[in-house]
Amino acid sequence: VPYFWGGVTINAGSWHLLSLVGIALGHRVPTEWGLGFAGTVALLGMTYEAPVLGKTTSFTAQISGAVDAAPYIGSSLDLRTLRQVITGSEATRGWSGVLALGRDWSEEISSHVFVSRYRLTLPGLANRAGQVRIDRVAANLVWTPVDGFKTGLEASVAWQKLDLGAAVIPAGLGGRQSSLQLFLERTF
């Protein structure tokens, strides 16, 4: 136990300290270095796990914020939408939040439900200031028949609103806004 806590303390302490230093000093990078793509990201996450009715149940929350680093605060599905309306060099301000609830139904079956919101402000994209908002709900069912192997099915639905100055573009339940994934995972 002391070995574990020593490792956790040093690892987590170093990670948090260096993250805070990076956030504090990130704005001091000279523009002549050509690092216009570099932004500032802050991330805070927490997980709580406890037995409920004799089975493991977990609650996870994450919130992140970014300045000029939009791709780092959302999911890969959110990123696909963003690539259509902004480039990496444009100024952005945004945040995202995720809440997840997981439940082990048996030794082999578990499920998770996720709710997320992604909000991005575009202060001045070539005279078209605006916002991007993506709300997503996802759920999965996971089967783990043997140690080191799991498979499952995950469904996701998103409601999106792209407000790009003069044009408001609602996007609903189609195409890239919904997904169904079958996954296989093997660990060695």
Side-chain angles (χ1 to χ4, degrees):
V1 174
Y3 175 79
F4 169 77
W5 285 110
V8 168
T9 304
I10 292 171
N11 188 20
S14 301
W15 179 266
H16 288 103
L17 177 66
L18 293 174
S19 294
L20 293 172
V21 168
I23 290 168
L25 298 179
H27 71 283
R28 295 183 181 262
V29 175
T31 55
E32 58 269 9
W33 286 6
L35 298 175
F37 64 87
T40 303
V41 177
L43 174 68
L44 178 63
M46 116 77 218
T47 297
Y48 177 74
E49 191 173 279
V52 175
L53 300 174
K55 300 293 179 189
T56 303
T57 302
S58 64
F59 174 76
T60 303
Q62 176 233 317
I63 188 162
S64 58
V67 175
D68 299 334
Y72 298 101
I73 60 171
S75 72
S76 59
L77 294 173
D78 301 334
L79 185 55
R80 278 193 247 170
T81 299
L82 287 178
R83 285 185 184 143
Q84 298 174 18
V85 295
I86 65 172
T87 65
S89 62
E90 294 167 319
T92 60
R93 308 285 184 265
W95 65 272
S96 72
V98 178
L99 297 175
L101 184 64
R103 173 94 171 142
D104 289 344
W105 299 101
S106 71
E107 297 268 333
E108 298 177 344
I109 304 290
S110 64
S111 62
H112 301 83
V113 177
F114 308 85
V115 177
S116 69
R117 170 162 281 183
Y118 179 91
R119 184 150 187 155
L120 189 67
T121 301
L122 315 167
L125 297 176
N127 300 323
R128 53 183 181 130
Q131 293 186 348
V132 175
R133 190 182 83 206
I134 304 171
D135 296 319
R136 183 176 313 283
V137 176
N140 68 18
L141 185 61
V142 179
W143 179 46
T144 310
V146 295
D147 285 341
F149 176 77
K150 66 172 86 165
T151 185
L153 187 64
E154 181 169 300
S156 170
V157 177
W159 295 266
Q160 302 179 349
K161 182 176 179 185
L162 309 175
D163 179 358
L164 304 176
V168 175
I169 307 164
L173 304 175
R176 294 189 183 116
Q177 288 75 41
S178 60
S179 70
L180 183 63
Q181 301 174 15
L182 174 66
F183 65 89
L184 303 168
E185 181 180 312
R186 174 79 171 125
T187 56
F188 299 94

